[in-house]
Amino acid sequence: PLEFEMVDLLGNGEAVLTPTVTLTNIATGVAYSAGLSGSATVVGTRIRQSFTALAAGQHYRAVVSMTPVAGKTLSAELILDCPF
């Protein structure tokens, strides 16, 4: 699994709540949910997500989101380059 540290996005008194991760194949622009293994979980101020079935030579965009307080959503993005 990969862990995404979210502490720098949090305000005073906020916590990582309701984590979600989406995965998109950059070449096609199509969501690739088959590449997500299970649901995102919270470990302290980090969001943990496992990935699977990523194809060699493909590039994916993982968007990690959380709702630290009602009405506020914060996101971070990671590009996953899968070598040949």
Side-chain angles (χ1 to χ4, degrees):
L2 294 177
E3 290 186 348
F4 303 85
E5 179 59 71
M6 306 301 276
V7 70
D8 290 338
L9 299 177
L10 297 171
N12 289 335
E14 294 180 342
V16 177
L17 303 173
T18 60
T20 60
V21 178
T22 59
L23 188 64
T24 303
N25 182 307
I26 292 174
T28 64
V30 175
Y32 185 59
S33 60
L36 300 174
S37 180
S39 298
T41 58
V42 176
V43 180
T45 58
R46 297 180 310 273
I47 296 173
R48 179 183 292 169
Q49 177 67 57
S50 292
F51 297 88
T52 188
L54 301 180
Q58 295 297 308
H59 309 283
Y60 301 92
R61 175 178 292 110
V63 177
V64 181
S65 300
M66 64 174 173
T67 305
V69 294
K72 181 178 179 181
T73 300
L74 301 172
S75 299
E77 181 179 295
L78 176 70
I79 303 300
L80 302 170
D81 290 319
C82 298
F84 292 95

